[in-house]
Amino acid sequence: IYKNEQELSNSFAFWEFYQWRFSEAFSEAQHTMIALLAIIWASDSFAYVSGRFLGRTKLFPSVSPKKTVEGFIGGLVGALLIAAWLSLYSNKELWKWLIVAAVLVVTGTLGDLVESKFKRVAGKKDSGTILPGHGGLLDRLDSLIFASPFAFITLLVLSYF
């Protein structure tokens, strides 16, 4: 189907991250935003999986009874792994991405707990019905909404180093 390896490589360029380096199509800001989303989603996903299978110690049971310390640690590890991987495709150094990932995990978890507390006070289990099975749109975005300002401040401070 493909005449040579170069043609095969070019046909999948959009989907392959090694060709995702700062091309003309993406600016550094766009790369950073995509990376922040990837770190938050990785943190949420790793936290869910590790909490589900390894979770024993409740993180804050009065606010969110299913969240565990093991899930938090799993989310942190997952976010750090994704941050390290993303640093390969960025102009930012590894240590900066690791700091940003740690800030995103801590503030994202706080955002999730704050949103859970809002729901408890309101007497609701889910924040909406737009995303069935996910607890509502706010449940999907609470980490991002709460962590974004902290990520911005962290990136701003790190830009001086």
Side-chain angles (χ1 to χ4, degrees):
I1 297 173
Y2 294 100
K3 294 179 184 171
N4 57 40
E5 190 175 316
Q6 182 65 31
E7 186 179 341
L8 175 65
S9 175
N10 289 338
S11 66
F12 294 102
F14 181 75
W15 300 105
E16 295 180 23
F17 280 102
Y18 71 85
Q19 293 184 358
W20 187 57
R21 293 187 188 262
F22 294 94
S23 65
E24 293 176 24
F26 290 106
S27 69
E28 183 177 356
Q30 290 168 320
H31 280 270
T32 300
M33 189 61 217
I34 291 169
L36 295 177
L37 290 171
I39 290 169
I40 288 173
W41 292 333
S43 171
D44 286 349
S45 299
F46 277 81
Y48 174 76
V49 170
S50 60
R52 178 106 170 132
F53 293 107
L54 304 172
R56 301 282 181 265
T57 313
K58 301 297 181 190
L59 183 64
F60 208 144
S62 64
V63 175
S64 187
K66 291 186 178 181
K67 291 207 182 320
T68 63
V69 172
E70 294 83 4
F72 174 79
I73 293 169
L76 179 62
V77 169
L80 293 174
L81 288 171
I82 294 300
W85 181 68
L86 288 167
S87 73
L88 301 173
Y89 305 98
S90 170
N91 288 336
K92 289 180 184 56
E93 293 91 353
L94 172 63
W95 67 273
K96 289 181 180 180
W97 278 118
L98 296 177
I99 290 172
V100 168
V103 167
L104 284 172
V105 170
V106 171
T107 57
T109 302
L110 286 174
D112 201 21
L113 290 170
V114 166
E115 194 261 342
S116 293
K117 183 64 175 175
F118 286 161
K119 289 190 310 185
R120 291 225 176 269
V121 169
K124 298 285 185 181
K125 181 181 180 336
D126 295 333
S127 62
T129 57
I130 291 176
L131 297 172
H134 289 272
L137 191 59
L138 186 57
D139 283 322
R140 292 294 93 210
L141 298 176
D142 53 5
S143 298
L144 178 65
I145 291 169
F146 198 83
S148 294
F150 294 98
F152 173 75
I153 292 167
T154 302
L155 288 166
L156 189 63
V157 170
L158 290 176
S159 70
Y160 291 103
F161 295 98

